[in-house]
Amino acid sequence: MDNGLSADPKARENSPIKMLPTYVRRMPDGSESGDFLALDLGGTNFRVLLVQVLNGKVHMESEIFPLDQTLMTSDSITLFDYIADCITLFVKKKSLQDKTLPLGFTFSFPVQQLSLTSGLLIRWTKGFSAGGVEGEDVVRLLKDALHRKNSHSVDVVALVNDTTGTMMACGFDDRNVIAGLILGTGTNACYMESLDNVKKWNEERGCSNEVIINTEWGAFGDSGVLNWIITEHDKKIDVESINPGQQVFEKMISGMYLGELARHICMDLIHRGLLLNGIASNKLKTKGSFLTKFVSDIESGDENKLQQVLKELDVKATARDQEILRHICTAVSKRAARLASAGLATIVKKTKAYNSTIAIDGTLFKKHPKFKPYMQEALKELLPDSHLKLMLSEDGSGKGAALIAAVAAHTKSH
């Protein structure tokens, strides 16, 4: 982490953890009020939200707009004109065209952020390939499109990473929040850092001496530092992935990989004649057939859910087989939760915030019945004297983005 924050370019290059400044300089303090917009773009749908903040309360209305394959693979003007059209339509529907509304833009793709209101798309992911966007400033592309559509009531004041949004959404309700964590398809964390430790910071300091750092911790281990705990199963997952040798930490933790990890372990035990009489169903032999949802269902201890999983995998399992399956799912889940907790414990030690709240979002944390208890158990072991609260974040990419816009607008006007 220190290498990632270093002023020395060589040290930064050697750190797989990029430690990117988000340019978000303070948490909400409850004084924010007004109407704000949020745009959440990160998949096959995108949302436009109107977020009204008044007297410490947040009221949200949103609309989902579809993005079809044609748009996702079009070009920058076609894509951003469509988004601008949808924002304009939403603003009209809410009769807000006579007001100037600050907008927070959650853009869930790898971005090199240059300031709070500019960031270059490093590369498209998630099936997007619209031409003329990679290497460009996505805020400028959005502003240009809004300009072409004569939509002058929208002011893009913040480009938001989903981890930062998660942290801000909880920070509005709990002043003790020091970090945001995503545990979903992928994993990432951000936290509030003192500028004295951000040696690479060369902007003005302004009125605040801190900034939220997006760690991009999924890449931890890419330099080989996790090789001592990597198993044969992890190596298989890595080789078969679309990015071999990258995002090593993420592949041991996140929802995109846990089901497949469990499947590999099952197949290994079947080959050794230790599970299902040494016979695998065609379904079980198929990559991606063991969903991470199945891991959660088996971990729930609900007999009906277990039977449903066996049926979907097309396997006949004895009582002993079922016990082994439970053991596999527990091992995979527990390791993931403990690794995530180790990362979190490092952030807590670095910030010395031993009595604080961690904002967490993502389907793995939400849907897996034992993920939170596993994390709490690990954190107790790693930081016995701490009092950490793990708080589920509600809609970081919507509510959080709007609150970042609120803080930015508030800062701007002072």
Side-chain angles (χ1 to χ4, degrees):
M1 289 168 88
D2 287 339
N3 280 343
L5 294 172
S6 169
D8 175 9
K10 233 184 188 61
R12 290 206 300 273
E13 221 168 276
N14 290 336
S15 172
I17 307 184
K18 291 298 168 226
M19 305 294 283
L20 309 169
T22 61
Y23 299 90
V24 176
R25 305 289 302 280
R26 68 173 190 82
M27 298 294 286
D29 61 10
S31 66
E32 297 77 21
S33 71
D35 294 344
F36 304 92
L37 289 173
L39 168 62
D40 177 16
L41 177 68
T44 45
N45 293 319
F46 72 91
R47 286 185 309 158
V48 182
L49 300 96
L50 169 64
V51 181
Q52 294 167 309
V53 186
L54 190 65
N55 303 327
K57 294 264 186 298
V58 175
H59 173 71
M60 294 195 286
E61 296 170 51
S62 68
E63 197 169 331
I64 291 175
F65 297 93
L67 269 177
D68 60 23
Q69 204 57 39
T70 320
L71 281 162
M72 287 161 68
T73 55
S74 60
D75 57 85
S76 65
I77 289 182
T78 310
L79 176 64
F80 280 91
D81 275 9
Y82 172 70
I83 292 168
D85 276 335
C86 296
I87 294 173
T88 311
L89 186 73
F90 181 81
V91 166
K92 265 206 184 98
K93 263 191 198 168
K94 302 290 174 199
S95 309
L96 294 163
Q97 58 270 51
D98 300 331
K99 293 175 79 170
T100 301
L101 297 173
L103 177 138
F105 180 14
T106 301
F107 186 73
S108 302
F109 298 94
V111 163
Q112 183 196 349
Q113 204 153 341
L114 306 173
S115 72
L116 188 58
T117 50
S118 64
L120 312 178
L121 174 64
I122 296 169
R123 65 178 178 280
W124 277 124
T125 54
K126 306 178 198 176
F128 279 74
S129 62
V133 186
E134 289 185 352
E136 295 297 324
D137 180 354
V138 293
V139 174
R140 188 184 54 75
L141 293 176
L142 178 60
K143 283 182 169 174
D144 288 353
L146 287 164
H147 188 71
R148 283 194 294 275
K149 301 293 174 183
N150 288 320
S151 182
H152 304 300
S153 57
V154 178
D155 180 18
V156 187
V157 295
L159 179 62
V160 181
N161 171 283
D162 52 358
T163 26
T164 319
T166 293
M167 185 172 165
M168 293 295 267
C170 283
F172 186 76
D173 302 310
D174 183 334
R175 301 282 180 265
N176 257 340
V177 170
I178 58 116
L181 176 58
I182 301 284
L183 289 166
T185 309
T187 180
N188 190 14
C190 70
Y191 72 102
M192 188 62 91
E193 179 61 278
S194 161
L195 278 184
D196 300 338
N197 299 327
V198 188
K199 307 297 183 198
K200 63 181 175 184
W201 184 267
N202 45 23
E203 316 287 317
E204 282 178 28
R205 289 208 166 201
C207 52
S208 159
N209 193 40
E210 47 187 21
V211 65
I212 294 179
I213 296 289
N214 163 19
T215 65
E216 288 294 342
W217 81 5
F220 182 55
D222 292 10
S223 58
V225 293
L226 287 174
N227 289 358
W228 62 287
I229 51 168
I230 280 174
T231 67
E232 291 309 307
H233 312 298
D234 294 311
K235 287 176 188 166
K236 277 186 185 156
I237 294 276
D238 184 50
V239 169
E240 291 172 6
S241 70
I242 53 168
N243 53 351
Q246 294 177 343
Q247 301 295 100
V248 171
F249 195 52
E250 181 165 83
K251 285 171 184 164
M252 299 167 90
I253 293 175
S254 76
M256 190 168 181
Y257 305 98
L258 293 188
E260 185 64 4
L261 208 47
R263 189 186 74 82
H264 274 296
I265 299 168
C266 288
M267 291 304 293
D268 179 40
L269 294 178
I270 290 167
H271 287 315
R272 294 201 265 153
L274 299 169
L275 181 65
L276 302 173
N277 255 335
I279 301 158
S281 66
N282 285 333
K283 192 78 190 274
L284 199 52
K285 286 177 189 168
T286 311
K287 183 183 174 182
S289 62
F290 202 120
L291 308 176
T292 296
K293 176 189 182 298
F294 295 171
V295 177
S296 292
D297 287 348
I298 292 170
E299 279 276 74
S300 74
D302 181 328
E303 191 56 38
N304 293 337
K305 285 184 177 175
L306 172 63
Q307 294 310 321
Q308 189 56 41
V309 170
L310 296 173
K311 194 173 154 192
E312 293 208 31
L313 292 172
D314 197 19
V315 294
K316 301 266 184 287
T318 63
R320 177 160 169 71
D321 288 334
Q322 293 177 29
E323 198 183 317
I324 291 170
L325 261 180
R326 280 195 200 96
H327 188 73
I328 291 167
C329 291
T330 299
V332 164
S333 305
K334 215 172 211 181
R335 184 185 71 162
R338 292 175 76 80
L339 285 170
S341 301
L344 210 46
T346 308
I347 287 175
V348 170
K349 283 170 103 162
K350 193 169 191 325
T351 53
K352 298 185 172 52
Y354 294 99
N355 303 315
S356 57
T357 301
I358 313 298
I360 309 182
D361 199 359
T363 42
L364 185 61
F365 187 76
K366 272 184 196 163
K367 300 274 169 73
H368 190 302
K370 294 188 179 169
F371 215 85
K372 185 177 178 178
Y374 287 156
M375 285 184 74
Q376 286 166 322
E377 187 188 341
L379 287 164
K380 256 293 158 258
E381 281 177 51
L382 292 164
L383 303 167
D385 299 326
S386 66
H387 294 283
L388 299 172
K389 178 176 154 195
L390 305 181
M391 180 179 185
L392 180 64
S393 175
E394 292 302 333
D395 195 12
S397 45
K399 177 182 170 185
L403 287 167
I404 290 172
V407 168
H410 184 87
T411 310
K412 216 175 175 179
S413 64
H414 284 62

